[in-house]
Amino acid sequence: MTTRVAAIDCGTNSIRLLVADLPDPGAGPEVPLTDVTRRMEIVRLGQGVDRTGRLAPEAIERTRVALASYAADIEKLGAERVRMCATSASRDASNAGDFRAMVEQTLGVAPEVVTGDEEARLSFTGAVRGLPADAEPPFLVVDIGGGSTEFVVGTREGGVTAAVSMDIGCVRMTERHLHGDPPGLDEIAAAQADIALAVDRALDVVPGRQAATLIGLAGSVTTVVAIAQGLREYDPERIHHARVAYEQVAQVTADLLGRTREQRLAIPVMHPGRADVIGAGALVLRVIMERAGMPSVVASEHDILDGIAWSLR
């Protein structure tokens, strides 16, 4: 017996939908869920939140349009249970009530504005299920979002040991520091210092320096890995569980930060909505690897969205 569920992850930069069939509750942890559909739209809900403390009306409207399309898919595909989690942008906004009302009217269920700790735990669940057997624990899972980055340490058997969320997402760091096109060396240095301070604080809370395997989640990581692999088109199957060395991440980061937005758009695997913030996202990944002493990162296409789906079991 399977259960069809719908999970929605609404972050600072993107909103994503997963409709999936969950296996019988008696199935073991190695049994994966079965995708029915996955969708992603860049809506930039967190536009200007770091500066104004409010969600912009046009950002809420972009999100509403995407959510209405998702609601139609959920009804058509017959999902029995629906859960929507809203993360960093709607945690920070003073007008979060406007966003909540829009979601309830459009989707028919209220969004759950999850805490950073819950966000981290959902990300860990999504990432660790289905990992190759030779992936050495303990794992440091990092989910680099638009407004925040979650750090989680744990094992498959024991679950989460420690988790923390830091406000160093790719949108937030771009808006705060990287204003040039391409950004200047002083801007990059300021962003790097800001990120390093937050990463060190995170690694004081979670024992990430003692982890054996770094697992990177979300679009910044998967895009960097796709570029490092030299892919001519975005291929989730080749990206999922690919391992990339620190030296490759550093090279891709330097290249991205040295390009203009138009030059980044010309990269075959680049999503148009990510081109203006990918430099900051790559920089967050590079600094995490440096501060945690990680020689490589394993990319995962499964993340908080999958964790939300598993929570409906």
Side-chain angles (χ1 to χ4, degrees), residues 40-300:
M40 187 272 285
E41 301 288 341
I42 302 286
V43 294
R44 196 62 58 82
L45 179 63
Q47 171 192 331
V49 163
D50 194 50
R51 177 176 52 83
T52 67
R54 295 179 60 82
L55 296 171
E58 62 270 27
I60 294 177
E61 175 59 16
R62 288 193 298 268
T63 306
R64 185 198 66 77
V65 171
L67 195 58
S69 178
Y70 289 179
D73 273 3
I74 290 168
E75 183 175 4
K76 180 177 66 177
L77 294 170
E80 300 173 40
R81 301 170 191 164
V82 181
R83 185 182 184 191
M84 175 176 172
C85 292
T87 55
S88 178
S90 47
R91 273 204 307 266
D92 299 342
S94 61
N95 61 337
D98 295 342
F99 171 75
R100 181 184 179 89
M102 178 278 289
V103 171
E104 290 195 65
Q105 183 174 5
T106 306
L107 187 64
V109 300
E112 298 177 47
V113 183
V114 297
T115 64
D117 183 68
E118 173 68 2
E119 187 177 348
R121 291 171 190 275
L122 288 168
S123 295
F124 186 83
T125 298
V128 168
R129 275 186 174 268
L131 270 179
D134 62 355
E136 185 181 354
F139 309 116
L140 169 59
V141 175
V142 294
D143 187 345
I144 302 173
S148 63
T149 294
E150 282 63 58
F151 297 73
V152 200
V153 170
T155 63
R156 230 187 302 249
E157 296 76 17
V160 172
T161 302
V164 67
S165 178
M166 306 300 293
D167 288 340
I168 51 169
C170 60
V171 174
R172 195 185 298 271
M173 290 297 97
T174 300
E175 291 185 349
R176 188 179 293 177
H177 297 294
L178 304 180
H179 304 130
D181 188 29
L185 294 178
D186 55 338
E187 294 175 337
I188 296 170
Q192 181 173 313
D194 199 359
I195 294 165
L197 186 64
V199 171
D200 284 345
R201 289 206 310 270
L203 295 176
D204 286 340
V205 175
V206 303
R209 296 184 181 92
Q210 284 74 56
T213 303
L214 173 66
I215 304 168
L217 315 183
S220 289
V221 174
T222 57
T223 301
V224 167
V225 169
I227 295 169
Q229 289 181 305
L231 300 185
R232 301 305 301 170
E233 61 181 9
Y234 193 93
D235 185 345
E237 290 190 4
R238 289 188 61 185
I239 295 166
H240 189 48
H241 293 162
R243 185 183 291 270
V244 173
Y246 167 79
E247 291 77 13
Q248 294 173 282
V249 171
Q251 180 57 54
V252 171
T253 301
D255 179 65
L256 289 169
L257 289 170
R259 292 185 182 224
T260 65
R261 181 178 182 277
E262 287 302 312
Q263 289 169 334
R264 292 191 294 272
L265 276 170
I267 298 172
V269 297
M270 186 66 61
H271 189 290
R274 203 174 299 286
D276 56 338
V277 297
I278 185 61
L283 186 60
V284 171
L285 175 61
R286 195 202 79 195
V287 173
I288 289 171
M289 295 181 76
E290 289 170 355
R291 309 306 282 193
M294 289 292 177
S296 64
V297 59
V298 176
S300 177

